[in-house]
């Protein structure tokens, strides 16, 4: 289906069907990667799909994880990796096996029907084509994936001055000033499928929210139109904007009471994934947080009937989109904007809107100050 067909399908109030398949670099099969015996290669693995978590593995080869979305990690070795929607990993793979071709396998996770596609790791001195069964991987096991996610940690001896790589700023020693709890939900609104966070299903305004905020245009959005805690009520539609203070250090807890895995992304920020577990989050859940070497990343998964917690330093002024990385859920409302605000208009805190910015909606005809 073309993107326009997908949108039309969702606009009719329907859910997206299971994908037809999985692609590796745009190919449903036959993607080949050439390697030379004895050399080590860096593979950057990204899940740019619309809705499904994927498992990545290479026949008879181990993968040493070295980077997650800009963060150097402890160099742990894995036989396969779960890559959730919107996430990226870098691994080192050494061509240390007998010279032939090997399967590269990608399969879906947590789906009733397991989709699988293969590529080829081709040794330059290969003595023969791929052989044997396609290596199997995990399918619906949540604990396996959860334990793997917890094992991914920052390398505190990389990318920083010695002997204290993080300097005087360490996330685990800073008191949070606010806790935001976000709970997803799905349901019907006016007979059509919608998705929500804290009961609010996002609808776009007639004017880009950043423009409305910059020019102080009323009637476009309302700060506090989404609660910072689950309301437990039914789904309703609004242009959801949550307020937050510049330079605050906050905790966000994603609660997933649904039976599917979810994935969330926040524009403009990296955040520390300090904890995740099954069941309901409570204040006692903080006792199991990793306050030493949690990985900093831009997209976090939330397992079915589970929670994930992150810490964020709000050091970037603006209007930032927090959204589901499941395209259908995002399109049908599972997103909102976090307005990180300061009364200061100093260029130190935020650049002004560029002189050539396109102004539309209620901002049409306004003038930006030149840079």
């Amino acid at each position: 289906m073309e993107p326009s067909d997908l949108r039309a399908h969702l606009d009719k109030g329907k859910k997206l069907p299971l994908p037809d398949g999985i692609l590796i670099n745009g190919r449903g099969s036959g993607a080949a990667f050439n390697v030379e015996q004895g050399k080590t290669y860096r593979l950057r693995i990204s899940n740019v799909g619309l809705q499904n978590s994927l498992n990545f593995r290479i026949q008879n080869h181990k993968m040493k994880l070295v980077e997650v979305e800009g963060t150097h990690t402890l160099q742990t070795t894995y036989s396969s990796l779960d890559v959730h929607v919107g996430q990226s990993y870098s691994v080192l793979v050494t061509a240390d096996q007998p010279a032939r071709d090997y399967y590269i396998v990608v399969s879906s996770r947590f789906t009733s029907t397991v989709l699988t596609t293969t590529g080829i790791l081709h040794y330059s001195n290969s003595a023969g084509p791929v052989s044997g069964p396609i290596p199997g991987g995990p399918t619906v096991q949540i604990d396996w994936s959860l334990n793997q996610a917890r094992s991914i940690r920052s390398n505190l001896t990389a990318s920083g001055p010695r002997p204290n790589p993080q300097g005087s700023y360490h996330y685990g020693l800073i008191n949070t000033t606010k806790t935001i709890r976000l709970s997803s939900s799905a349901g019907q609104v006016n007979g059509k499928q919608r998705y929500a966070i804290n009961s609010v299903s996002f609808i776009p305004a007639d004017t880009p929210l950043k423009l409305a905020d910059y020019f102080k245009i009323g009637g476009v959005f309302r700060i506090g139109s989404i609660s910072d805690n689950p309301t437990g009520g039914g789904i309703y539609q609004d242009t959801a904007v949550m307020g937050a203070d510049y330079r605050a250090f906050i905790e966000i807890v994603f609660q997933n009471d649904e039976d599917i895995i979810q994935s969330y992304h926040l524009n403009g920020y990296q955040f520390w994934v300090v904890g995740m577990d099954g069941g309901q989050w409570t204040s006692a859940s903080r006792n199991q947080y990793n306050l030493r070497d949690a990985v900093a990343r831009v997209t976090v998964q939330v397992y079915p009937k589970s929670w994930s917690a992150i810490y964020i330093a709000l050091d970037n002024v603006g209007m930032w989109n927090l959204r589901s990385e499941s395209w259908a859920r995002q399109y049908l409302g599972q997103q909102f904007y976090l307005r990180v605000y300061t009364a200061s208009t100093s260029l130190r805190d935020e650049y002004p809107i560029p002189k050539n910015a396109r102004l539309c909606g209620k901002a049409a005809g306004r003038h930006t100050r030149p840079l």
Side-chain angles (χ1 to χ4, degrees), residues 81-125:
L81 269 176
D82 275 357
V83 186
H84 305 283
V85 182
Q87 294 185 344
S88 295
Y89 293 86
S90 287
V91 297
L92 300 182
V93 176
T94 300
D96 57 2
Q97 297 299 303
R100 62 178 181 85
D101 293 355
Y102 295 89
Y103 284 115
I104 297 171
V105 188
V106 183
S107 58
S108 62
R109 292 284 268 123
F110 316 113
T111 54
S112 54
T113 300
V114 177
L115 302 172
T116 301
T117 196
T118 60
I120 302 295
L121 188 73
H122 173 73
Y123 279 59
S124 60
N125 58 340

Side-chain angles (χ1 to χ4, degrees), residues 125-293:
N125 58 340
S126 174
V130 291
S131 61
I134 295 173
T139 54
V140 296
Q141 303 95 323
I142 293 174
D143 286 349
W144 186 95
S145 189
L146 178 62
N147 289 331
Q148 182 180 85
R150 286 171 171 164
S151 73
I152 298 172
R153 298 181 294 159
S154 293
N155 186 340
L156 298 183
T157 64
S159 293
R162 291 6 174 220
N164 184 4
Q166 298 201 43
S168 60
Y169 187 93
H170 191 289
Y171 76 93
L173 300 178
I174 303 171
N175 293 327
T176 57
T177 56
K178 184 177 185 179
T179 296
I180 296 171
R181 294 172 54 229
L182 304 174
S183 179
S184 66
S185 56
Q188 297 279 312
V189 176
N190 298 325
K192 293 187 176 182
Q193 182 67 41
R194 297 292 297 186
Y195 301 97
I197 298 174
N198 287 359
S199 300
V200 186
S201 184
F202 184 86
I203 50 173
D206 61 359
T207 304
L209 301 188
K210 181 59 188 176
L211 293 180
D213 197 32
Y214 179 79
F215 291 114
K216 297 179 173 58
I217 301 171
V220 176
F221 69 88
R222 178 175 57 86
I223 300 294
S225 46
I226 177 173
S227 169
D228 58 14
N229 278 283
T231 64
I235 294 176
Y236 64 95
Q237 294 178 291
D238 203 344
T239 304
V241 178
M242 185 183 297
D245 295 327
Y246 180 45
R247 290 183 175 161
F249 191 75
I250 68 171
E251 171 188 44
I252 297 182
V253 179
F254 297 94
Q255 182 69 52
N256 181 13
D257 293 326
E258 300 181 72
D259 58 4
I260 64 165
I261 190 167
Q262 310 222 27
S263 186
Y264 289 95
H265 176 83
L266 175 60
N267 281 144
Y269 288 93
Q270 269 194 321
F271 46 73
W272 290 275
V273 183
V274 294
M276 54 179 63
D277 205 355
Q280 291 286 318
W281 180 90
T282 68
S283 58
S285 302
R286 296 188 179 111
N287 296 332
Q288 62 173 277
Y289 280 6
N290 177 358
L291 299 182
R292 181 177 182 271
D293 59 357

